[in-house]
Amino acid sequence: MRQDALPNAPLPAPPSSPVEDIARAYLVTAQGDAEAALRSAISDALADLCEAERRTRRQDRLISRGYVRASPHATVR
C-alpha cells in the first residue's frame, strides 16, 4: 500500500472494455437477471450471424451471376 494513500479510499474503477460495456448493457436491460441477459446476448449474436451468412450467400450469388454474364465464352442472343 502506498504511504500517501488513504486507508479507506475506494480503488479506481478498472478501464472499461467494449465487452464489459455490452455485458453491462444486457444486464441492465435484463434488470440484473444474468441468465436472461446471457440468453438475450446469445439470441442477438445468432441473429447477427444468420444475417451475415444471408448477406454473404446473396453476395456470392451476385458475383457468380456477374462471372457468367461477363464470360468470354457466353453465347450472345
Side-chain angles (χ1 to χ4, degrees):
M1 182 178 203
R2 292 184 5 210
Q3 294 295 329
D4 60 341
L6 299 174
N8 295 328
L11 295 174
S16 182
S17 71
V19 173
E20 292 296 325
D21 294 342
I22 293 168
R24 190 175 306 106
Y26 275 101
L27 268 173
V28 168
T29 301
Q31 299 174 344
D33 183 347
E35 185 176 341
L38 178 61
R39 288 180 188 277
S40 185
I42 291 170
S43 177
D44 288 351
L46 288 173
D48 289 347
L49 179 62
C50 288
E51 177 62 16
E53 288 176 347
R54 184 192 68 77
R55 288 181 182 188
T56 299
R57 283 192 304 271
R58 183 173 187 276
Q59 184 178 22
D60 288 348
R61 283 193 308 270
L62 292 173
I63 290 170
S64 294
R65 288 180 188 155
Y67 282 127
V68 169
R69 288 181 184 159
S71 171
H73 303 293
T75 58
V76 179
R77 293 182 188 186

